[in-house]
Amino acid sequence: MKSKAGTDTEFFRTEKIPKILLQIAPPVMLAQLIQAMYNIVDSFFVGKYSESALTALSVIYPLQLIIIALAVGTGVGVNTYMARLYAQKMPGQAEETAGTGTLLALGTWLIFAIFSIFCMRPYVLTSANTPEAIESAVIYGQIVCIGSIGAFLEGNWTKVHQSRGNMHRPMVAQTVGALTNIVLDPILIFGLGPVPELGVAGAAYATVCGQVAAAVITSFGGVGRLPERTKMPLYIKQIYWFGYASIIMQALFTVYIVILNAILAGFSDSAVTVLGLYYKMQTFFFIPLMGLQTCIVPVLSFNYATKSYARCREIMRDSYGFSCVFMLVGVICFVFFPVQLIQVFSKSSEVIAIGKNAFPIIGASFIPAVFSLMTPVFFQAIGNGKISLFLSVMRQICCLIPIFWLLSLIDLRFTWFAFPISEVLVGVTGIVLYYKEIKRDFDKGATKHVKTQKIVS
């Protein structure tokens, strides 16, 4: 099936599942690997500059997650709806969906930028104590939030390309964006040649430049075209119908990190730094899982739209298996080498002491996290956002936060057990709901087959 944009998604229907995943996942994983490397390098250079600047990155990290939630979540809605339209052989409407997504990205960025101008300092005061950390966080946060237009546009345009099965352009874009950030970080932070030393502001400017570079590359073929004004509300409704669960899931991720930071701030800024370092580094080890999350959405959506339920089950089975194998690497690193990981970014004895206890405990949650994170993607892809949202709320709000808080009443050392406990509870619940959904779909398909046979007879 070819559209005007050069779409070729028929292999979603006919190719073997492992081959599809091996074809479309590596470019996404490579891009995310480079993205994770840039996050790590960012923290590395900032950590060399000052401990207060490193704390600032941890404090602002939740706001960057909100940007991701709004940008990528809307993009997921665009992605899923476009994949369905391509499956139904309506490429024209798919391109109008892409155009609507571009308009939504610009509008969302403008609202977020204005909001961040007035709310940055009050937010920072909830998670930082020392004056140096507070000022660094305000400076860094305002620059990356006001300058986030590239992140919003790239988040949408990347999903447009992925809905067509094109994983290579997003890979190139994210690679260029990450490399731009990595190259500019030391130049702008420390000041090299004629460039003045900008400190934490330099890290923020480097991030913005990388995002803009990625957006420019994905703009080719990603902008789409706007539908008639009367049709616009319908497209917006469909985009958010398929994307609202992803937006809320990511936003909940932000909420719980803000709350965990507030709890940890009651112990020390170093505890906040440890949590921030964990989330920076765990991204690196979660790459296979996040890559598969991205890749299976259009494949699942396409096959579910064509009622290929057995194929959907095969997609999930292979995704679970691949993710578990790769996540073992993260378990090994966090359980057996926590000090070495932390010392890459910080030499603070307090940060190392806290992280040495925290990292192995959190690392034990990685395998059950496969099931608590992949299963909501299945429900999101088939258009059942309610269950996807339920699992996300259960994981990040109903389980992690109260368990973390209760354990914090005992001692800081026990708070980290909230991670594996939450992942196991949500993972088991997700698998039960998944098998109920699969059985319902198979029963539905069997009933239709029996009715067809009677009509033929």
Side-chain angles (χ1 to χ4, degrees), residues 371-401:
F371 301 94
S372 64
L373 290 172
M374 291 297 291
T375 309
V377 175
F378 166 77
F379 288 105
Q380 173 189 320
I382 67 172
N384 193 339
K386 291 182 179 179
I387 293 182
S388 179
L389 180 59
F390 165 74
L391 291 172
S392 297
V393 171
M394 179 183 176
R395 175 177 180 262
Q396 300 178 49
I397 303 298
C398 299
C399 288
L400 184 59
I401 290 176

Side-chain angles (χ1 to χ4, degrees), residues 28-44 57 61 68 174-175 177-179 181-182 185 276-288 290-291 344-345:
V28 176
M29 292 180 186
L30 179 58
Q32 291 179 337
L33 171 63
I34 296 171
Q35 195 78 5
M37 284 298 297
Y38 116 65
N39 282 331
I40 290 174
V41 171
D42 207 36
S43 297
F44 173 79
L57 263 64
Y61 185 58
I68 294 173
Q174 292 180 23
T175 300
L179 291 177
N181 191 319
I182 291 172
D185 257 335
L277 288 178
Y278 158 67
Y279 279 115
K280 292 276 186 175
M281 284 185 276
Q282 65 98 27
T283 303
F284 182 81
F285 296 102
F286 273 56
I287 285 170
M290 292 187 295
V344 173
F345 308 98

Side-chain angles (χ1 to χ4, degrees), residues 74 78-79 81-82 85-86 91-107 153 156-157 160 163-164 219 221-228 232 235-236 239:
T74 304
V78 172
N79 181 336
Y81 189 43
M82 286 182 68
L85 291 170
Y86 284 132
Q93 289 90 327
E95 293 306 306
E96 291 182 344
T97 302
T100 304
T102 299
L103 188 64
L104 290 175
L106 289 170
L153 291 174
N156 180 78
W157 292 336
V160 170
S163 72
R164 304 169 182 149
S219 67
V223 178
R225 67 171 183 268
L226 289 176
E228 296 176 8
M232 184 75 72
Y235 283 101
I236 293 175
I239 288 171

Side-chain angles (χ1 to χ4, degrees), residues 51-53 55 124-125 127-137 269:
E51 284 293 331
S52 62
T55 300
V124 169
L125 291 173
S127 302
N129 296 316
T130 63
E132 295 83 1
I134 292 171
E135 290 307 313
S136 294
D269 278 355

